[in-house]
Amino acid sequence: MVNRPQPTPARSYEYSSFPVLGALGTLLVATGVLAMISLFIGVESAFFGSIKLAMTGLGGCLAVGLPVLLIWGGMLLVLSNGRKVSFRAFLLVSLLYLIVLALLNLLSRIGEDGFFVDYCNTRLKRSIGSASFGGVLGESYRFCAAYGEPAGALGMLLAWPVHSLLGTAFSAVVLHTEPAQADSLKTRPL
């Protein structure tokens, strides 16, 4: 009998080692850097102007947090390519950012119309007759993209449903106590 060398088995890849996560992470970092450039440097072009408009429409006066979260999340994806990385701190900071945006949307006053959530509701009811969740998100995006305040469409993701159920005062209390509850749910250190 002739001893033949055994063929080596094909390399098996785990899902976390696919280059897709690295490419997605790189794309997120690049998007975050472009957003930072458009927010801080103020390059006069249609491309950077549209990015700045999108960032202020989503984040309002705290739009600077979006590029930071994009860069951080992208770096975590790039570093997780082949390694185990904890996303817990990123998710908690993102949740805290959304809660702060929601509180700003709930507690910001817009001229004679009262609070910002009420302003979006009444403006939609005047124009189309009813206020839906998508309509309020769109109105919040349009207002914050134009004026840069209060906290954009991302804040309205939490603010409008809580405001619809509880009103302005109770929803601010609920959103204020939510980070403390999220912190108490941790079972092991970050």
Side-chain angles (χ1 to χ4, degrees):
M1 279 233 172
V2 178
N3 286 336
R4 292 186 181 162
Q6 295 293 326
T8 58
R11 184 174 176 190
S12 64
Y13 291 95
E14 296 178 17
Y15 180 76
S16 64
S17 65
F18 278 146
V20 173
L21 291 178
L24 181 63
T26 305
L27 183 67
L28 283 175
V29 169
T31 304
V33 168
L34 286 174
M36 280 281 203
I37 290 171
S38 69
L39 286 173
F40 289 121
I41 296 177
V43 177
E44 297 293 327
S45 73
F47 177 72
F48 285 109
S50 63
I51 291 176
K52 183 176 182 178
L53 197 67
M55 289 295 129
T56 55
L58 289 172
C61 63
L62 295 178
V64 70
L66 288 172
V68 170
L69 288 174
L70 285 171
I71 292 170
W72 186 12
M75 290 304 296
L76 283 175
L77 283 176
V78 168
L79 292 175
S80 72
N81 198 9
R83 293 186 199 105
K84 191 168 194 144
V85 176
S86 175
F87 287 89
R88 185 181 312 158
F90 173 73
L91 293 175
L92 285 175
V93 168
S94 299
L95 178 67
L96 181 66
Y97 179 69
L98 284 175
I99 290 171
V100 168
L101 288 177
L103 281 171
L104 276 173
N105 273 344
L106 283 170
L107 301 176
S108 295
R109 297 184 75 75
I110 304 296
E112 304 286 322
D113 293 321
F115 294 106
F116 182 61
V117 178
D118 297 326
Y119 168 80
C120 290
N121 279 333
T122 56
R123 187 165 162 113
L124 282 172
K125 286 179 183 174
R126 279 188 223 146
S127 63
I128 61 173
S130 67
S132 65
F133 184 58
V136 170
L137 285 177
E139 184 62 35
S140 173
Y141 179 85
R142 279 187 291 281
F143 185 87
C144 292
Y147 300 109
E149 54 185 48
L154 287 178
M156 200 58 81
L157 283 173
L158 289 177
W160 193 75
V162 174
H163 179 268
S164 313
L165 294 173
L166 302 174
T168 303
F170 288 122
S171 56
V173 170
V174 166
L175 287 174
H176 181 68
T177 59
E178 198 169 306
Q181 291 172 353
D183 192 40
S184 68
L185 294 176
K186 291 191 305 188
T187 56
R188 36 177 217 229
L190 297 174

